[in-house]
Amino acid sequence: MKTIVSTLALGIALGLASTAGLAPAGAAPTAKAAVPTAAEADKFIADATAEVQRYSDTAARIAWVNATYITDDTDWLASKVDAQGTEMAVRLAKKAATFNNTPGLSYDTRRQLDGLKLGLTLPAPDTPGVADELSTLSTRMKSTYGKGKGTFQGKATGGNDLEALMETTRDPALTQEIWTSWHKVGAPMRPDFVRMVEIANQGARDLGYKDVGAMWRAGYDMDPDAFAAMQNKLLNQLMPLYTELHCFTRTQLNKKYGDAVQKKTGPIRADLLGNMWAQDWSGIYDVVAPPGAGTIGYDTGELLKAKGYDPVKMVKTGEGFYSSLGFAPLPATFWERSQITKPADREVICHASAWDVDNVDDLRIKMCTKVNSTDFVTIHHELGHNYYQRAYNKQPLFYRGGANDGFHEAIGDFVALSVTPDYLVKIGLLDPAKVPDASKDIGLLLRQALEKVPGMPWTYVVDKWRWGVFSGATPPTAYNASWNDLREQYQGIMPPVARSEADFDPGAKYHVAASVPYARYFLARVLQFQFYQAACKQAGWTGPLHRCNIYGNKEVGAKLNAMLEMGSSKPWPDALEKFTGSREMDAGAVLAYFAPLQVWLKEQNKGQQCGWSS
Ligand code: ASP
Ligand code: SER
Ligand code: ZN
């Protein structure tokens, strides 16, 4: 993710023009009041820019210290400054709405005003003390997640270590222990979460939205309902591929563990998939890949270990990729100020994030990096945020954000798609004699599919659940049941042990505990392939898509930069068109990438009863 505060400045910048449904009751000018002028609007934008920058200079540093050193005191500081930010952003949103009927506004003033109206993730009503209460709840949930522990073989173990153990543990009794113990982290958050929903919904209604979910969906330069419909359409494009992968994976798990652990039909047990949330199954590649066609012959994590890479060298390697595209090296302060490995002596939030502390070039990442292939990809992901942030740093402050938040999440993942065998040879990680030949394409694609495709229904489910919660369609008494029902319906997975409303499984996922909207990751799953397909075309690549790497291609780098430096100054279809030539998000590139695998999976699945509904 990109962190909230680096963007609290620019939560605001992230908001995008969409006035659909906006009629801020409390703030709209009365019929008799004079409509404020365009000159007043320009001045308001200039003043708001200065105020937000001033706020962000302090807030981002406090948030950084809190995330990298969790104590009661840093929680206190973070809540306090977060509450100030909420109050400021609500005030600015309401003021922005007073210019709704102002004639003669310039394009940029109109767009920045519209962005300000959408600037907040969790709004609060004006009632004194309520913004403070909301911030206390948010900070407490996030820190509870950061400090959370489960167990492994009875020993207390942090979330970051448990995530890594999920990838490598093959004993179902132990994966069940990891899964079950970690999911206990959610339960204590439930009352805070319920109250947070109440407060933020009231705040959203005060700003003229039905609820917080509707406000989140309004941030995409399109009608909120049209946005939901676009997501549904994309998911429908992807489900046939997911269903084949699910079917094949289930068969392999059944072969390995037997009927008592994993049946041949129905949902898959969530803890057998190599990931705490079953969102990335690449950890069990060795279990799923059939001998022969399925094998690749190397594992990136093993290569990194064999060559003695440490986390810093992994990050340097990631930087090297961006440098090869023509991006300037990361600033010296990046290396001085980032948290690249987990500090030994204090509680921190390990969930990876990228920061732009001064909204110019105080770029940092915060990770608890391990030497494995998942973290190698995550490094490229986080750096993608940092290079994006620096590329748009000459835009007006309120445009320093992604074309939409899905773009921000997609850049680094797009770059990491170029981590192909040929690329690994180029940087000296893979012995040229070990490059898998064309007969191993299925193996390579299967490895990539396990990493990327399960995330498609998963990233859809998280906010489908939250939208239901915010709209009231899902009451607190059904929070956990709804979460697990959606997981079963779309992902075809089930918890290893019975769940009840005494549990709060969503809280065991960082982005729920930390209130980071999640639709962005769904969009990014689609966009990264669109970017990659376009880049490979620009590079003149004619081979199988998944073998293409753009390492060293400065022309592609320059085109990418042209899109990145736009920030959020134009509606996202303009940015997409600039790099890909298309104005539509479309899953066609995903399907083209995996096409040979999909054919192969279909063949393997013959005779199986694919799907999982009973
Ligand atoms: N931090 C990244 C995300 O939340 C990548 C990851 O943690 O998997 O976007
Ligand atoms: N990085 C995001 C997550 O960890 C999306 O994959 O959930
Ligand atoms: Zn990210």
Side-chain angles (χ1 to χ4, degrees):
M1 61 174 261
K2 171 177 64 147
T3 180
I4 315 247
V5 163
S6 72
T7 52
L8 199 130
L10 294 269
I12 287 177
L14 282 176
L16 290 156
S18 164
T19 45
L22 249 195
T30 63
K32 284 191 188 122
V35 173
T37 66
E40 284 169 320
D42 292 343
K43 176 159 188 326
F44 166 66
I45 290 295
D47 292 347
T49 300
E51 182 181 3
V52 170
Q53 179 70 59
R54 225 170 23 246
Y55 166 78
S56 158
D57 285 340
T58 305
R61 287 175 177 86
I62 289 177
W64 173 267
V65 174
N66 181 224
T68 57
Y69 191 177
I70 306 174
T71 66
D72 290 336
D73 293 333
T74 63
D75 277 358
W76 187 91
L77 286 165
S79 313
K80 198 175 172 68
V81 75
D82 184 68
Q84 286 165 5
T86 303
E87 282 162 358
M88 173 184 72
V90 168
R91 172 168 47 77
L92 295 176
K94 289 187 171 172
K95 181 81 193 271
T98 64
F99 297 98
N100 282 354
N101 299 317
T102 297
L105 292 177
S106 70
Y107 175 88
D108 286 318
T109 297
R110 175 82 271 155
R111 186 163 176 81
Q112 292 181 71
L113 288 169
D114 287 342
L116 275 174
K117 290 186 288 197
L118 283 159
L120 272 166
T121 304
L122 294 181
D126 275 340
T127 327
V130 177
D132 281 309
E133 186 187 356
L134 177 63
S135 295
T136 302
L137 301 169
S138 309
T139 305
R140 186 158 63 215
M141 284 191 279
K142 201 195 298 189
S143 291
T144 300
Y145 185 98
K147 291 185 284 193
K149 306 264 182 294
T151 65
F152 184 68
Q153 297 181 314
K155 190 168 165 275
T157 307
N160 188 57
D161 292 333
L162 292 175
E163 281 181 52
L165 284 164
M166 261 316 222
E167 291 189 20
T168 51
T169 305
R170 298 286 177 267
D171 174 346
L174 290 177
T175 56
Q176 179 173 321
E177 180 195 357
I178 297 173
W179 193 99
T180 311
S181 65
W182 177 253
H183 279 74
K184 292 196 173 121
V185 168
M189 293 175 202
R190 182 190 272 261
D192 285 354
F193 191 86
V194 172
R195 179 73 183 131
M196 178 276 281
V197 169
E198 268 169 26
I199 296 177
N201 266 340
Q202 187 55 52
R205 284 193 289 269
D206 287 358
L207 290 173
Y209 298 92
K210 275 204 313 258
D211 59 70
V212 173
M215 182 166 171
W216 289 2
R217 291 191 297 280
Y220 294 94
D221 292 309
M222 61 199 284
D223 178 80
D225 293 337
F227 176 73
M230 178 181 82
Q231 259 211 348
N232 289 342
K233 189 189 119 204
L234 293 169
L235 184 76
N236 287 335
Q237 277 184 287
L238 295 165
M239 280 310 274
L241 172 62
Y242 178 67
T243 305
E244 297 290 350
L245 183 68
H246 177 280
C247 193
F248 183 67
T249 302
R250 185 177 58 192
T251 305
Q252 301 299 81
L253 288 170
N254 172 266
K255 275 190 207 151
K256 179 169 174 75
Y257 295 117
D259 289 343
V261 173
Q262 179 59 57
K263 294 202 197 62
K264 285 197 190 70
T265 56
I268 300 177
R269 223 179 93 168
D271 59 319
L272 302 179
L273 291 161
N275 175 277
M276 191 67 82
W277 307 277
Q279 69 182 65
D280 169 349
W281 304 351
S282 58
I284 59 161
Y285 173 74
D286 60 316
V287 176
V288 180
T295 52
I296 302 171
Y298 72 87
D299 169 77
T300 311
E302 296 309 318
L303 296 177
L304 293 167
K305 283 180 202 133
K307 295 275 177 183
Y309 274 54
D310 61 12
V312 172
K313 184 147 189 217
M314 288 164 69
V315 181
K316 291 264 182 206
T317 307
E319 178 191 37
F321 200 111
Y322 291 88
S323 296
S324 88
L325 297 177
F327 290 91
L330 292 164
T333 50
F334 174 92
W335 303 101
E336 291 154 12
R337 296 174 189 171
S338 286
Q339 175 197 294
I340 292 176
T341 52
K342 185 172 196 284
D345 55 349
R346 56 186 200 254
E347 301 285 4
V348 302
I349 292 178
C350 276
H351 188 89
S353 54
W355 299 59
D356 178 7
V357 170
D358 63 356
N359 300 310
V360 182
D361 58 3
D362 188 347
L363 308 171
R364 311 176 190 181
I365 59 170
K366 179 183 63 57
M367 290 184 61
C368 298
T369 312
K370 294 184 189 293
V371 182
N372 61 33
S373 90
T374 304
D375 278 4
F376 195 53
V377 173
T378 299
I379 285 168
H380 290 80
H381 173 96
E382 301 306 342
L383 292 182
H385 290 307
N386 285 146
Y387 285 98
Y388 206 164
Q389 287 159 337
R390 193 171 54 184
Y392 56 57
N393 71 6
K394 294 196 178 54
Q395 291 286 346
L397 187 65
F398 297 149
Y399 285 161
R400 291 182 211 166
N404 67 39
D405 54 8
F407 280 61
H408 229 301
E409 298 302 334
I411 301 305
D413 288 3
F414 145 57
V415 165
L417 286 174
S418 278
V419 178
T420 60
D422 283 346
Y423 167 69
L424 294 172
V425 169
K426 273 192 197 149
I427 61 167
L429 263 175
L430 182 64
D431 176 350
K434 292 243 170 87
V435 171
D437 63 23
S439 72
K440 298 286 191 270
D441 274 357
I442 291 300
L444 286 165
L445 284 170
L446 183 59
R447 168 71 182 63
Q448 279 292 68
L450 290 168
E451 181 178 315
K452 303 285 183 185
V453 177
M456 294 168 182
W458 155 255
T459 52
Y460 178 87
V461 157
V462 175
D463 274 2
K464 179 108 179 156
W465 177 79
R466 252 186 316 205
W467 294 348
V469 163
F470 283 125
S471 79
T474 305
T477 49
Y479 277 0
N480 217 52
S482 163
W483 175 261
N484 285 304
D485 287 352
L486 288 168
R487 303 250 289 153
E488 178 170 336
Q489 183 183 346
Y490 292 99
Q491 293 182 268
I493 59 169
M494 60 179 193
V497 297
R499 311 307 289 161
S500 78
E501 293 302 326
D503 303 304
F504 184 56
D505 294 337
K509 174 66 190 168
Y510 174 75
H511 303 71
V512 175
S515 291
V516 182
Y518 212 73
R520 60 185 64 175
Y521 299 106
F522 178 81
L523 303 180
R525 285 283 191 295
V526 171
L527 283 168
Q528 63 186 270
F529 287 94
Q530 276 189 273
F531 294 155
Y532 179 73
Q533 190 179 43
C536 293
K537 196 170 161 206
Q538 288 162 21
W541 177 256
T542 52
L545 194 48
H546 71 100
R547 291 274 185 167
C548 155
N549 80 73
I550 54 158
Y551 182 70
N553 193 317
K554 301 246 175 348
E555 294 80 55
V556 170
K559 285 212 157 128
L560 177 61
N561 189 55
M563 174 174 76
L564 302 187
E565 66 187 13
M566 290 167 73
S568 60
S569 62
K570 294 283 177 322
W572 64 259
D574 291 10
L576 186 63
E577 186 172 28
K578 187 151 204 148
F579 189 61
T580 69
S582 164
R583 299 183 62 81
E584 307 274 333
M585 288 193 218
D586 184 80
V590 178
L591 299 178
Y593 184 101
F594 290 113
L597 179 73
Q598 195 167 350
V599 171
W600 183 86
L601 285 171
K602 246 193 153 98
E603 189 61 33
Q604 308 302 307
N605 289 335
K606 269 201 184 127
Q608 302 291 337
Q609 198 188 316
C610 291
W612 50 84
S613 57
S614 36

